[in-house]
Amino acid sequence: MWRLHRAAVACEVCQSLVKHSSGIKGSLPLQKLHLVSRSIYHSHHPTLKLQRPQFRTSFHQFSSLTNLPLRKLKLSPIKYGYQPRRNFWPARLAARLLKLRYLILGSAVGGGYTAKKTFDQWKDMIPDLSDYKWIVPDIVWEIDEYIDLEKIRKALPNSEDLAKLAPDFDKIVESLSLLKDFFTTGSPGETAFRATDHGSESDKHYRKGLLGELILLQQQIQEHEEEARRAGGQYSTSYAQQKRKVTDKEKIDQLQEELLHTQLKYQRILERLEKENKELRKLVLQKDDKGIHHRKLKKSLIDMYSEVLDVLSDYDASYNTQDHLPRVVVVGDQSAGKTSVLEMIAQARIFPRGSGEMMTRSPVKVTLSEGPHHVALFKDSSREFDLTKEEDLAALRHEIELRMRKNVKEGCTVSPETISLNVKGPGLQRMVLVDLPGVINTVTSGMAPDTKETIFSISKAYMQNPNAIILCIQDGSVDAERSIVTDLVSQMDPHGRRTIFVLTKVDLAEKNVASPSRIQQIIEGKLFPMKALGYFAVVTGKGNSSESIEAIREYEEEFFQNSKLLKTSMLKAHQVTTRNLSLAVSDCFWKMVRESVEQQADSFKATRFNLETEWKNNYPRLRELDRNELFEKAKNEILDEVISLSQVTPKHWEEILQQSLWERVSTHVIENIYLPAAQTMNSGTFNTTVDIKLKQWTDKQLPNKAVEVAWETLQEEFSRFMTEPKGKEHDDIFDKLKEAVKEESIKRHKWNDFAEDSLRVIQHNALEDRSISDKQQWDAAIYFMEEALQARLKDTENAIENMIGPDWKKRWLYWKNRTQEQFVHNETKNELEKMLKCNEEHPAYLASDEITTVRKNLESRGVEVDPSLIKDTWHQVYRRHFLKTALNHCNLCRRGFYYYQRHFVDSELECNDVVLFWRIQRMLAITANTLRQQLTNTEVRRLEKNVKEVLEDFAEDSEKKVKLLTGKRVQLAEDLKKVREIQEKLDAFIEALHQEK
């Protein structure tokens, strides 16, 4: 009965062992178990034959452990004497249960190790983003504020639940202790064995042999345990890995989706706060307008920096000083979405748009800054465009298009001249962007042949700046192999240290691209030779130009929220939306500014020192006047010279006018009035002819001629004052400017049209008067007539000399000969002079028979002559004869004033020609006096006004000033002024930058 009792106790112990042995992460040393417990695994031991059949049969009927695949062992037989039959089925049952324990413990250990290894692999796969912290939005680092991590922690199994899965080591130790007590010497079990076999020597031999067998069984059991541990470990490891992979993937997907939703929620909250902030700023400004609160706003950092860039854009880099200040250069293929990305960053549709045609024809520098109102204004204009109103947006786009077309020269398609635009608004990221014309692959019809090369040169000029941030825009809806700009960007920035890659139209790309992994390859830069500092994907609308910025932003958020690119982890949350792009570009821009601005300031300090040294050495006694200051100085000198016209004496004006007018009309008076009238036979006919011709001349030509003379005289006097040197104070640097002002002023000036009508009446009345009041006027008329006739006689003598060639004296002294034509003219002249000697009263024209006579006389001497040559020679010969006769008559009329007073009654002397010249002389004097009054009272003032207008126009035309004010001195002063201005602005900007830190 005590054996049955012991077996029952052993069963209870084994049952408790099996119950608490699952999930054990470890094993007890096999050496601590009793030798019997290690031997019961062997079912074919010889001693087992001594067991009672009923017990073995009973055990096999109720135990499932008999089916375990145990390896048969061959033991060397040991012969003993008579031994009593004993049954060890409790020990055999415990051994089998202990073997199951090792299987479970091995599986648990292998599964735990595999889980830890999988966790380490996932941890190693996560990239180190510490170097790209500036790209990741702040929300990622503040995620614990928006995600309830405590809730996630509570959802995971706690330590108590995990402890339940582990085995109860206390119970295991307790069970093993019971077994040890059962089989160990001094235990109740051993006492029982001793009570049964007391006094038997055979029992001692039996126990010694049994211990040897048990030692061998222990070694074989250890081999079984190692094999089971390996098999169970492999199975549990593969199972745990699969289960852990599925679980980790689900958790990562869930966390990513939750992170995306949280980020979008944060963006909506931020937008709402920005709108509220904008309204509050408007209220503050309205109070400022009412005078409630006045304060002086300091200029923002970005505005100060933009002013520096504006000055640098006009600066002609000399002495190897280059503009290396940072700016964000936006480049991309044509129609890739550059302008759309810029508009999303600026939060307004501010650029002209076209369907497939080139709209950006010149660089546009956009300065983004934060302000209470969403407005835009140009650098050279004070007009503000309200970007919240559609009519102002349309006007702004039209103005930008006009400025672009104005910058483009004739015969060109694009221009390198920059348009500067400032955009202010709430929530805008502070930065300076330059939108460049899109890169093209083919020159189409209507473009200049050099359009492609010009665009490349403009893009390279901006990208070669080592501190410029290149925002490379790539169209995601087209094949990556068609991209042109990526090769250009890779040449300018081969290491990608200042390039940010932006993939646009991702919504179209996701629909059209068969493999979504291709988009991931584009974002990661694996399809392009270029490298980048960061990669972004954006959506710029549905392609409708009438879409608002708010609608595009909502569409972008909705797309990425439902996009597979984010759900499948092809794109990270911080790599999408234009808002994240704007934050990243702004951070990179200011980082580059802080790193390079002080170095640029030092460079300009060195340039300033070089320019100042050169000025001191070359122009030590002159002030440093730039082009604008020199223009102002020249302007004052020109206005002083115009005012000096009013200081000209009336006598000088009248003398100049009278002399100029007579030079203009003298030919007409002698040839068309005096000579025809002098051919008449009596004084009555002479006076009648003169009156008729003077009347015709006054009505048609004389007033107009007088006004022309007056205008030309004014120009000559104005030019004389403008060009005559002023001694030591004269500066030849102003000569080109003064000449240009004079020509433009004269071109714009027009004489008063009413002057001719009033002058016509005055001249007609003067010519109608024939009354010479005194002898002095008579003598003056004779003197005037003699001067006029002598001048005509001199001209006639010169004409005859050129006609007949040199006389005998010149031929002998200067070795000159006559030509054949001159010889013919000379012979004809001699023949005609003979005719005049025979008849000094010959009329002015030759008769046909006289021409025939002259020709025959010349032919008789061997001279062939043409009748037309005879007429031409006669005209000059008779003219000289007439003028000499008129001069002789003029001398006779010196004493004819007495006869004139008596109207030449009872006198053979008639001096009507003297009266004619007196009338002409008096008309000239009266006309000169009238013109002088009009000049001094009206025209000089009008000319001064025109000069001021011309100077004002030139002052606004920078190209004109550069063209007219040239020279080394001007350029040196201009560079010195600009370098000083740049240095001062940079110093102020650096100081403000340090204060902001």
Side-chain angles (χ1 to χ4, degrees), residues 826-993:
N826 184 56
E827 294 296 328
T828 305
K829 178 186 75 72
N830 294 333
E831 189 67 27
L832 292 174
E833 286 180 347
K834 294 177 182 179
M835 184 184 298
L836 280 175
K837 288 181 180 179
C838 298
N839 184 13
E840 293 183 357
E841 300 295 333
H842 195 286
Y845 302 100
L846 285 175
S848 59
D849 54 348
E850 294 177 334
I851 295 174
T852 304
T853 301
V854 172
R855 183 168 60 81
K856 289 182 178 181
N857 291 336
L858 292 174
E859 289 177 355
S860 63
R861 295 201 298 269
V863 178
E864 295 290 337
V865 66
D866 189 78
S868 60
L869 187 145
I870 296 174
K871 292 180 180 179
D872 294 339
T873 307
W874 167 256
H875 177 72
Q876 298 297 335
V877 171
Y878 180 82
R879 184 185 183 86
R880 182 177 62 177
H881 170 72
F882 175 80
L883 292 174
K884 288 181 178 180
T885 304
L887 285 173
N888 293 331
H889 180 72
C890 187
N891 290 330
L892 295 175
C893 289
R894 288 183 184 277
R895 64 181 188 276
F897 181 69
Y898 172 74
Y899 300 102
Y900 167 76
Q901 289 179 336
R902 296 180 62 184
H903 303 287
F904 301 106
V905 177
D906 300 332
S907 173
E908 296 180 359
L909 182 63
E910 294 182 356
C911 297
N912 294 316
D913 49 358
V914 177
V915 177
L916 170 63
F917 278 93
W918 179 82
R919 294 166 67 184
I920 298 295
Q921 186 181 28
R922 187 169 181 272
M923 183 272 299
L924 292 175
I926 294 174
T927 302
N929 180 268
T930 304
L931 293 175
R932 189 266 305 168
Q933 293 181 19
Q934 187 173 358
L935 281 173
T936 55
N937 296 335
T938 305
E939 301 303 329
V940 171
R941 296 179 181 177
R942 294 180 62 222
L943 179 62
E944 182 180 358
K945 181 180 178 181
N946 290 335
V947 170
K948 290 181 179 179
E949 292 178 354
V950 172
L951 289 173
E952 290 176 358
D953 293 342
F954 283 6
E956 297 177 357
D957 193 347
S958 300
E959 294 182 358
K960 184 75 70 175
K961 288 190 289 186
V962 172
K963 182 179 179 181
L964 298 177
L965 293 174
T966 58
K968 180 180 179 181
R969 178 180 129 200
V970 180
Q971 190 62 41
L972 186 59
E974 193 75 11
D975 292 343
L976 188 55
K977 177 196 172 183
K978 289 183 178 178
V979 168
R980 284 174 177 167
E981 184 180 2
I982 293 170
Q983 183 187 351
E984 291 174 358
K985 290 184 179 295
L986 276 177
D987 292 341
F989 173 74
I990 293 172
E991 182 180 357
L993 191 64

Side-chain angles (χ1 to χ4, degrees), residues 285-294:
L285 290 179
Q286 290 175 359
K287 293 181 180 179
D288 290 343
D289 295 337
K290 296 178 181 178
I292 299 176
H293 177 61
H294 293 281

Side-chain angles (χ1 to χ4, degrees), residues 157-174:
N158 53 20
S159 58
E160 296 178 357
D161 296 335
L162 293 176
K164 292 179 181 180
L165 300 177
D168 191 348
F169 291 100
D170 296 334
K171 293 183 178 181
I172 292 174
V173 173
E174 182 181 356

Side-chain angles (χ1 to χ4, degrees), residues 94-105:
R96 292 178 182 273
L97 293 177
L98 290 175
K99 183 176 181 180
L100 179 62
R101 176 199 66 181
Y102 285 114
L103 291 176
I104 297 174
L105 288 177

Side-chain angles (χ1 to χ4, degrees), residues 105 184 295 389 631:
L105 288 177
T184 306
R295 60 192 176 121
K389 298 180 180 179
F631 182 82

Side-chain angles (χ1 to χ4, degrees), residues 229-350:
R229 187 183 299 110
R230 285 196 297 269
Q234 292 177 356
Y235 173 77
S236 61
T237 301
S238 60
Y239 176 76
Q241 284 180 350
Q242 294 178 358
K243 185 175 181 180
R244 187 58 182 260
K245 285 182 180 179
V246 175
T247 306
D248 291 344
K249 185 177 180 181
E250 292 177 355
K251 290 182 179 179
I252 291 173
D253 293 341
Q254 182 179 2
L255 287 175
Q256 286 182 348
E257 186 174 359
E258 186 175 356
L259 177 61
L260 179 61
H261 285 289
T262 304
Q263 184 179 5
L264 296 177
K265 179 181 178 181
Y266 171 74
Q267 288 182 352
R268 294 191 188 97
I269 295 174
L270 185 60
E271 291 175 358
R272 179 175 57 82
L273 293 176
E274 287 177 351
K275 291 181 180 179
E276 294 178 357
N277 188 22
K278 181 178 179 180
E279 296 298 329
L280 292 175
R281 287 177 179 269
K282 287 183 178 181
L283 294 177
V284 171
L285 290 179
Q286 290 175 359
K287 293 181 180 179
D288 290 343
D289 295 337
K290 296 178 181 178
I292 299 176
H293 177 61
H294 293 281
R295 60 192 176 121
K296 185 177 181 180
L297 295 175
K298 293 178 64 177
K299 194 173 292 185
S300 64
L301 272 178
I302 191 64
D303 291 336
M304 298 171 67
Y305 185 77
S306 178
E307 289 180 358
V308 174
L309 295 181
D310 290 336
V311 177
L312 281 172
S313 64
D314 300 331
Y315 176 62
D316 185 15
S318 303
Y319 303 93
N320 297 326
T321 299
Q322 298 179 354
D323 173 17
H324 288 169
L325 288 176
R327 70 227 333 131
V328 181
V329 181
V330 185
V331 296
D333 298 331
Q334 184 179 353
S335 302
K338 298 186 292 72
T339 303
S340 300
V341 172
L342 263 178
E343 287 180 339
M344 291 295 293
I345 295 176
Q347 300 180 13
R349 310 299 292 268
I350 59 178

